[in-house]
Amino acid sequence: MVHLAVHLPREAKLVGSVGYSCIYPIERYLGTLKRYVGNKARPEGSIAEAYIINECLTFISMYFTETETKFNRKERNDDELDGSLRRQGAISVFAQKVRPTGAVDIKSLSPEERDQIHWYILNNCEEVQPYMKEHLEKLKKETNNDNLLSQRQQKEFPGWFKNRMFDLRSRNSPEATDELYSLALGFELRANSCSACNLNGVRFHTKQREARRTTQNSGLVVDAEFQGKEIEFYGRLCDVYRGRIPGQL
């Protein structure tokens, strides 16, 4: 085993993934051909006949666009957005193809959790950035302490942005779109909680759900910027929330 560990890094550097240099795909395909054998007295004939039938079915199924086949059916972990999320997807921060799945439970967020989630959405929304710059310039005129600017903006910007949208909405300004107006209003303390979500064909489970399973898939990595440097944050998925807009059932 020590000898194997010595050669594996070198092989990985030379050819990359093991799937491009090993015989595993061929062995798996040979196993598929062996399962075609129905008459052990004529194994070659069984394999040839089953192979031709499989090729014919594959060729024909590519032309049945209205019939569900293996070429047009949805993936197992489908992440296609439903109608309500697609409407909100007009904003960049909601453009990710993430679909919550599993049983839905209504949970109550604390005001601190709600404010933290609301700030994260506003701070990472491209459409809100011009208003954040405007608010930052306003704060710079009021204080000379750069260390307190970020803290003050995180605390005061949501309320300022809400009042700004109210003012634009009262004047029927085209800047106050329905999406920005909804962001300014925030969301309720009640939120729909799920134990899993699909993203890019992969299903992620929360830490609590995977505790009862043999497969583990709650690890996450997020590209972010910290103190002017691009770094990666590693963490675990603890919950999947879908916020409720005030007045929404």
Side-chain angles (χ1 to χ4, degrees), residues 62-156:
M62 295 177 67
Y63 291 90
F64 286 94
T65 57
E66 298 181 358
T67 304
E68 181 177 339
T69 64
K70 67 178 182 180
F71 296 101
N72 59 11
R73 65 188 177 192
K74 295 183 179 180
E75 297 182 359
R76 178 181 179 184
N77 298 322
D78 180 39
D79 53 14
E80 183 177 356
L81 303 179
D82 58 22
S84 60
L85 288 179
R86 190 181 302 277
R87 178 179 59 81
Q88 295 179 2
I91 295 183
S92 60
V93 73
F94 294 127
Q96 295 86 354
K97 294 183 62 177
V98 180
R99 184 172 68 88
T101 183
V104 178
D105 185 22
I106 298 178
K107 291 187 177 181
S108 296
L109 301 174
S110 65
E112 293 77 12
E113 290 176 332
R114 190 223 11 220
D115 294 341
Q116 187 176 6
I117 296 174
H118 192 199
W119 166 250
Y120 177 84
I121 295 175
L122 294 176
N123 192 33
N124 290 273
C125 182
E126 296 180 2
E127 291 79 1
V128 182
Q129 295 307 310
Y131 299 96
M132 292 193 65
K133 293 180 180 179
E134 180 182 350
H135 182 254
L136 183 61
E137 294 297 328
K138 177 178 176 296
L139 293 179
K140 287 182 178 179
K141 297 178 180 179
E142 298 176 359
T143 179
N144 296 326
N145 193 341
D146 295 337
N147 297 328
L148 298 177
L149 283 178
S150 59
Q151 298 179 4
R152 286 194 57 186
Q153 187 172 36
Q154 181 175 351
K155 182 179 180 181
E156 301 175 9

Side-chain angles (χ1 to χ4, degrees), residues 31-238:
T32 302
L33 296 179
K34 288 181 180 179
R35 288 193 293 271
Y36 290 160
V37 177
N39 185 358
K40 295 184 179 180
R42 299 290 188 271
E44 298 88 351
S46 298
I47 293 176
E49 183 178 358
Y51 179 83
I52 293 174
I53 294 175
N54 187 40
E55 286 292 306
C56 292
L57 292 176
T58 301
F59 180 79
I60 294 173
S61 62
M62 295 177 67
Y63 291 90
F64 286 94
T65 57
E66 298 181 358
T67 304
E68 181 177 339
T69 64
K70 67 178 182 180
F71 296 101
N72 59 11
R73 65 188 177 192
K74 295 183 179 180
E75 297 182 359
R76 178 181 179 184
N77 298 322
D78 180 39
D79 53 14
E80 183 177 356
L81 303 179
D82 58 22
S84 60
L85 288 179
R86 190 181 302 277
R87 178 179 59 81
Q88 295 179 2
I91 295 183
S92 60
V93 73
F94 294 127
Q96 295 86 354
K97 294 183 62 177
V98 180
R99 184 172 68 88
T101 183
V104 178
D105 185 22
I106 298 178
K107 291 187 177 181
S108 296
L109 301 174
S110 65
E112 293 77 12
E113 290 176 332
R114 190 223 11 220
D115 294 341
Q116 187 176 6
I117 296 174
H118 192 199
W119 166 250
Y120 177 84
I121 295 175
L122 294 176
N123 192 33
N124 290 273
C125 182
E126 296 180 2
E127 291 79 1
V128 182
Q129 295 307 310
Y131 299 96
M132 292 193 65
K133 293 180 180 179
E134 180 182 350
H135 182 254
L136 183 61
E137 294 297 328
K138 177 178 176 296
L139 293 179
K140 287 182 178 179
K141 297 178 180 179
E142 298 176 359
T143 179
N144 296 326
N145 193 341
D146 295 337
N147 297 328
L148 298 177
L149 283 178
S150 59
Q151 298 179 4
R152 286 194 57 186
Q153 187 172 36
Q154 181 175 351
K155 182 179 180 181
E156 301 175 9
F157 177 75
W160 179 89
F161 182 61
K162 182 178 180 179
N163 294 331
R164 181 63 184 276
M165 286 294 108
F166 280 161
D167 180 60
L168 293 175
R169 196 81 167 184
S170 63
R171 293 188 279 114
N172 296 325
S173 174
E175 293 184 30
T177 61
D178 293 339
E179 290 79 9
L180 290 179
Y181 186 71
S182 298
L183 281 183
L185 291 178
F187 47 89
E188 297 181 356
L189 290 176
R190 296 182 305 162
N192 295 335
S193 173
C194 300
S195 59
C197 65
N198 296 338
L199 174 62
N200 296 331
V202 180
R203 175 164 297 183
F204 292 91
H205 295 160
T206 60
K207 183 179 179 180
Q208 182 180 1
R209 180 175 180 177
E210 73 173 13
R212 305 186 301 270
R213 298 174 176 266
T214 56
T215 56
Q216 309 292 311
N217 196 27
S218 65
L220 298 174
V221 58
V222 178
D223 296 329
E225 184 176 342
F226 181 71
Q227 295 182 353
K229 298 181 180 180
E230 294 184 357
I231 61 175
E232 296 177 342
F233 283 101
Y234 293 87
R236 304 288 292 275
L237 182 64
C238 297

